[in-house]
Each structure stands twice: as C-alpha cells, then as structure tokens.
Amino acid sequence: MVTNYKTHEVYGVSNEMIATYIERSDVDDLFIKGLEKNKHLVIYGASKQGKTALTQKHLEEKDYIRVNCSPASTIQDLYNSIVRQLNIEIVESREVSQEVGGEIKAGVKAKIKIPFFGSGEANLEGKETFNEGDKTSYKIVDYNLFLAQDLSELLRAINFDKKIIVENFHYLTEENQKLLSIDLRIFDDYKIQFIVLGIWREKNRLIQFNGDLVDRLIEIPVEPWEREHLKAIIDEGFPLLNVSFENVLEELIETCFDSVGVFQELCKESCYAAGVRETSEDTIYITADNISTAIEKKLSDYSSRHIRCLEAFVEQKAKSSDEIPLYIPYYFVKTLLNEDFDDITSGLKRRVIQEKIRTIHHRPDDVRPSDMGYFLQTLVANQIKKSISPPIFDYDIGTSSVKIIDSTFYFFLKNCNKEEILEYIPVPVGL
C-alpha cells in the first residue's frame, strides 16, 4: 500500500520530523558515538541547519528532558525546569544566599521528597518516611536549587538515566553561559549527559568559558551542507510525493547558499507553485517558473522580518549631550549593505569593518579600536536585547570576523534590492 504524504510533511522547516531527513556520516555518526561515550555534546551552527532535527532523529521523547533558554533565563531557572519536568515533589522551600566565585548569588533551598531505594542506592541523607497508600518509602532531603552538585546528587538518587537537552544556549547572558559551562564539569563527574544546542559558527565556544571541558565534550557542527546532501534530500522526496526536480536541481541548489532550511522551504513552495499539496498520482516536473515563484514567496517572507530586525538593530537613543553619538550599529549596516556578496559570505574582518566605517562616519577620528571591540563583543547580546531572534550576526574571536548566523539572511541579501533596503533603515537623530 502506497502511503499518501502531504507536501509539508516531506519538505519545509517544521518542529516535527520531516520525511526527507538524511543522515550525514560526519554529523549523525558523531552524534551517535557521543551518546555512546556519554560525553557532553555541543551542537552548533547557523539557524535552521538541523540542530534540533538531529536530536529528534536519534532520541525518543522518553530518552531526554528538553530545557529551552530565553534571554531572561538564569541557571536556577534551568535547574528548576529539570526538577519540575521530573515531577519531583518539593515539600517546602526558602530563599538562601550562596557565594559563587566570590559573588553572593540568590538561590532556593528546598526539602525534596524522593523515593528511597534502600541502603547504598541513594547517598543523600534525610528523614525517612513511608507512604501506606502505595507502600513506597521516601526520604526528605535538603537540596539547593542553585548548585550543580546538589542537582547531580538528586538525579543520581532517583536513578535518572535521561539526557538533558539545552535549547538556545546562545540566548543566555555571557555570565550564565559561563556558569553552565563550569557546572558541566560537575555533571560530567556524575555521568549526567547534557546536549547543548546553540547558534554560532566558531569552535570551542564552551571551552572558552571553562578549559576543564577539554576531552569532556564532543562538538558537532551541523554545517556545511554539501551539494550531495541537498541532492540526497531530493532523491528521498521523489518517491514520497512523485515530484521531480531533475530539470531545475542545479538552480535550486545555487539559490539556497548551502542552507538546508532555505532549500527545504524552496522545495515546498515550488511544489505548491506546481499545484502539488500531497502525493501525486502522476509524476510532476518542477519548472524554472515554479522555482521563481518560490523565490518570490520566500523573499517576501524573509524580507519583512529582516527589515524589522535591521531597523531594531540600528536603533540607538542619543544621550543628553550636545555631541552626536557614534552610532556604530547604523554605520555597520550601511557598510554591510554596500559589501560584495562574496565578501559577506566569507566573513567581514574586524579591521576591514573599522576602516570602511571610518570612511563614511561623521566623526571618523573618534571610531577607535576600543569602540569597535565593545560593539563586536556585545554583538549577539545587543541583538537578543532588541528581540532579534534568532540573531543575525555573531563575532568570531578566533578569526576576528563578523559572520552571519541566520541562514535565511544570505538568501535575503542576494535577492533583495540593497538600495531599497537602505531607504528603510532610519537615519539616527543628528545625522
């Protein structure tokens, strides 16, 4: 019996598993080996490049707890979420202060009710109780919701054997990223495996925060997507929808700029343009006109978001002073939109950005290396603060260059009218 598929089940970007997921030996095999070795896994790359899909492919829901980060999340919030998802009963709690790294941190100390498995199986000390209804023994133990060691001991006491997936690690403040990186060393000692997902492109992001993680984690970049990978997606989808891209495949691959998310969306929209909403009885051949229609549709979708993001990015309130501010974000965007596309894809060097900003700046002599340094080091944090999600730009310290980490932004830049986009960007007050 032939299975009938809806087009959005075969192609596109979705929270659900897409039927055309393909395994890549340098990514999927590394992930599987990491699971077997029980080392922390760090999955990174631009947005919509398959990070979450990788975990969904190889793990069932019963195998993990997923914690989503937000700009407001603290380490305590993450640990609270883990405890809450395990349905662990908190008998009572109170706020406490804890010294961490010479600083006083607020935390919560709680009395936790956990099953008691007998001598030797749980090393937490506490008052033992007995539940007549379910014939289960329990222990009431003190537990600090801020400390990784307390959480580790609690998880070991209840025989916790799942993975902990941390989504959107990049949304955490740098301080909280560092704190979690330090705590991962403790979790590793207790054989509790974390899988960290984040949007960036350079290696060793967590190791920069904690050198002790060397040899304790495995990094898995989900990029690049090679041409043969994208062709394999088409081969996988052909028998499911009975739709052929053979006449336009090269054009389609060139258009997506190695972004599997853009590629999947263009495939979906091309099918819709050809009138294919589900598995076709007869083979349908996608045409160049179908591809053009798909490009126009996705450019419209992406443009509205990216223009709003650029407007928010350059927005800067002038302080109460007679001197006009430097407005570095505004000049950065102007520089970016005047760059050749090939130079943008290879990454914009810090020195080059500064030189080009100075050539068009209203106070060129005041654009100092320290000003550029501060702008670049806070690049992601400022985007998150302005609700630009996912972030568009990131600064790679290792190569001293700005890289685009929103995979749809390349498609937008290549297909938009840059002069028209510049007209949308508000000129700061005083210029």
Side-chain angles (χ1 to χ4, degrees):
M1 181 178 178
V2 178
T3 303
N4 192 64
Y5 285 89
K6 299 294 184 183
T7 298
H8 69 268
E9 296 173 332
V10 177
Y11 294 123
V13 175
S14 172
N15 291 328
E16 305 296 328
M17 277 299 296
I18 294 295
T20 50
Y21 181 96
I22 63 162
E23 295 191 24
R24 297 174 288 163
S25 59
D26 56 339
V27 176
D28 293 74
D29 290 355
L30 187 58
F31 181 78
I32 293 169
K33 289 177 182 177
L35 293 177
E36 294 171 350
K37 292 181 179 179
N38 203 41
K39 288 190 175 185
H40 297 315
L41 302 178
V42 178
I43 306 171
Y44 68 96
S47 64
K48 297 179 177 64
Q49 291 288 62
K51 293 180 291 294
T52 300
L54 179 63
T55 64
Q56 292 175 328
K57 177 66 177 179
H58 301 289
L59 291 172
E60 298 181 21
E61 282 194 34
K62 63 180 180 60
D63 297 326
Y64 62 82
I65 286 177
R66 191 181 297 273
V67 181
N68 283 288
C69 301
S70 74
S73 297
T74 65
I75 299 303
Q76 184 179 323
D77 292 331
L78 302 188
Y79 296 168
N80 284 347
S81 178
I82 293 170
V83 172
R84 184 170 59 251
Q85 291 184 60
L86 291 173
N87 296 318
I88 293 174
E89 183 177 347
I90 299 178
V91 178
E92 63 180 69
S93 64
R94 67 182 187 279
E95 292 187 3
V96 296
S97 296
Q98 181 77 30
E99 184 173 335
V100 179
E103 296 184 17
I104 302 299
K105 302 287 185 180
V108 174
K109 196 151 189 177
K111 290 187 179 297
I112 307 291
K113 185 178 181 181
I114 65 172
F116 176 51
F117 301 103
S119 178
E121 294 191 25
N123 66 348
L124 295 179
E125 296 181 359
K127 180 181 178 182
E128 188 173 344
T129 64
F130 185 78
N131 189 318
E132 285 289 346
D134 57 16
K135 306 298 182 183
T136 302
S137 295
Y138 292 91
K139 272 194 171 184
I140 306 297
V141 297
D142 282 336
Y143 166 67
N144 191 325
L145 297 179
F146 185 80
L147 298 180
Q149 182 168 336
D150 279 29
L151 177 57
S152 299
E153 291 176 350
L154 174 63
L155 295 180
R156 186 167 66 178
I158 63 172
N159 295 331
F160 179 79
D161 61 354
K162 298 184 178 185
K163 317 297 181 185
I164 299 176
I165 299 177
V166 180
E167 287 267 14
N168 297 318
F169 176 82
H170 54 278
Y171 281 148
L172 296 177
T173 64
E174 185 171 313
E175 178 188 10
N176 282 309
Q177 289 183 26
K178 183 176 181 179
L179 287 173
L180 183 56
S181 298
I182 292 171
D183 284 354
L184 288 178
R185 167 73 167 78
I186 298 172
F187 290 120
D188 181 66
D189 288 341
Y190 284 85
K191 308 302 180 187
I192 298 169
Q193 187 179 30
F194 276 66
I195 302 173
V196 177
L197 280 61
I199 296 177
W200 61 83
R201 279 183 155 160
E202 83 273 21
K203 298 178 180 178
N204 301 326
R205 174 66 66 96
L206 273 66
I207 292 174
Q208 291 175 16
F209 295 125
N210 182 10
D212 282 344
L213 291 178
V214 173
D215 298 327
R216 293 176 180 270
L217 59 78
I218 295 174
E219 292 193 312
I220 306 175
V222 292
E223 300 173 283
W225 280 84
E226 305 291 352
R227 300 176 77 87
E228 59 265 28
H229 298 146
L230 301 179
K231 289 179 179 179
I233 290 173
I234 294 297
D235 292 340
E236 193 77 16
F238 174 70
L240 304 181
L241 286 179
N242 201 11
V243 171
S244 172
F245 285 83
E246 64 182 66
N247 298 326
V248 293
L249 182 56
E250 292 304 318
E251 177 187 353
L252 183 61
I253 291 176
E254 290 295 333
T255 303
C256 77
F257 307 107
D258 302 327
S259 166
V260 70
V262 173
F263 184 79
Q264 284 277 12
E265 283 293 303
L266 289 177
C267 287
K268 181 185 71 175
E269 294 298 338
S270 296
C271 288
Y272 288 160
V276 179
R277 297 267 169 186
E278 59 184 1
T279 304
S280 173
E281 293 184 7
D282 301 317
T283 301
I284 302 296
Y285 290 87
I286 299 299
T287 67
D289 286 343
N290 297 148
I291 297 292
S292 295
T293 300
I295 290 173
E296 290 178 11
K297 172 65 168 60
K298 295 316 299 179
L299 180 59
S300 175
D301 291 345
Y302 297 148
S303 292
S304 57
R305 174 186 177 263
H306 288 314
I307 291 173
R308 287 197 304 271
C309 288
L310 291 176
E311 289 173 342
F313 181 76
V314 304
E315 185 180 4
Q316 179 180 342
K317 294 181 180 179
K319 297 179 180 178
S320 55
S321 171
D322 294 334
E323 190 173 59
I324 300 174
L326 291 177
Y327 292 128
I328 297 294
Y330 170 73
Y331 285 105
F332 169 79
V333 170
K334 284 195 69 173
T335 299
L336 175 75
L337 292 176
N338 283 307
E339 283 293 293
D340 289 336
F341 186 76
D342 291 341
D343 293 333
I344 294 173
T345 56
S346 61
L348 299 176
K349 294 291 185 181
R350 170 177 173 165
R351 176 180 55 80
V352 174
I353 295 172
Q354 182 176 347
E355 289 175 355
K356 293 194 173 185
I357 285 178
R358 291 187 67 178
T359 62
I360 60 174
H361 204 276
H362 64 283
R363 288 164 47 196
D365 293 338
D366 292 334
V367 181
R368 300 162 298 181
S370 58
D371 298 310
M372 288 303 304
Y374 178 78
F375 166 70
L376 295 173
Q377 289 163 15
T378 59
L379 193 55
V380 171
N382 284 334
Q383 290 172 85
I384 291 173
K385 189 183 299 183
K386 294 181 177 182
S387 301
I388 299 175
S389 171
I392 299 174
F393 315 107
D394 188 22
Y395 180 61
D396 185 340
I397 297 176
T399 61
S400 298
S401 60
V402 173
K403 295 183 178 180
I404 291 172
I405 53 175
D406 184 331
S407 63
T408 66
F409 196 72
Y410 286 121
F411 176 86
F412 165 72
L413 283 182
K414 186 65 175 180
N415 291 283
C416 74
N417 183 323
K418 292 183 181 179
E419 292 182 1
E420 194 174 285
I421 299 304
L422 275 170
E423 294 176 1
Y424 283 104
I425 306 302
V427 178
V429 176
L431 295 186

